[in-house]
Amino acid sequence: MKKKWRDEIERIGDTFAECVEDVIDLASGSATGVVLGYHIHKIDRKTRKVASRIGKRVMEMRRNNPDLLSYDTKMRALFTDLDVLQGDRDKYVKEREEIAKRR
């Protein structure tokens, strides 16, 4: 009876140890996933900043040389869209300033 009891306790202990190892593996993987996610987010944020700086520089270059990239039909279409948006923005800014002057 004593041997059977001892074997049962050892089996329960082994099962408990396996469960603890599984939890540790899951927690370790989860923590690694969080750290990797943080790094990915950080790189994405830096990428957006660089892309914004590239866009600003292209706009400066276009202002200095309006024919810049005129050979590229996609860029020409984007610049056309941008000109329309800028025109709309300028119109709204002017309207807002007129309203502010009336007050």
Side-chain angles (χ1 to χ4, degrees):
M1 179 81 172
K2 214 174 193 184
K3 175 115 168 107
K4 189 175 184 184
W5 174 257
R6 183 177 292 156
D7 290 341
E8 189 66 25
I9 294 295
E10 284 180 15
R11 189 179 66 77
I12 292 172
D14 290 342
T15 302
F16 178 76
E18 288 174 8
C19 289
V20 169
E21 286 176 359
D22 290 344
V23 168
I24 289 171
D25 288 344
L26 286 173
S28 174
S30 178
T32 301
V34 168
V35 170
L36 291 174
Y38 170 77
H39 288 304
I40 290 168
H41 178 71
K42 187 175 173 183
I43 289 171
D44 287 346
R45 191 172 58 237
K46 286 182 179 181
T47 301
R48 283 190 299 273
K49 286 181 182 179
V50 170
S52 176
R53 288 180 21 220
I54 289 169
K56 287 177 184 177
R57 180 62 185 142
V58 169
M59 292 303 299
E60 288 174 13
M61 293 169 63
R62 181 175 178 245
R63 247 183 265 122
N64 295 336
N65 181 6
D67 294 330
L68 177 69
L69 302 172
S70 62
Y71 58 88
D72 186 349
T73 56
K74 289 182 181 179
M75 282 301 285
R76 212 172 36 233
L78 290 171
F79 282 140
T80 301
D81 292 345
L82 184 64
D83 290 340
V84 169
L85 290 171
Q86 188 63 44
D88 291 345
R89 182 185 185 283
D90 292 343
K91 181 179 72 171
Y92 291 131
V93 167
K94 184 178 179 182
E95 285 181 29
R96 185 177 66 186
E97 289 173 352
E98 289 173 1
I99 291 172
K101 285 180 185 177
R102 286 187 234 155
R103 291 183 183 177

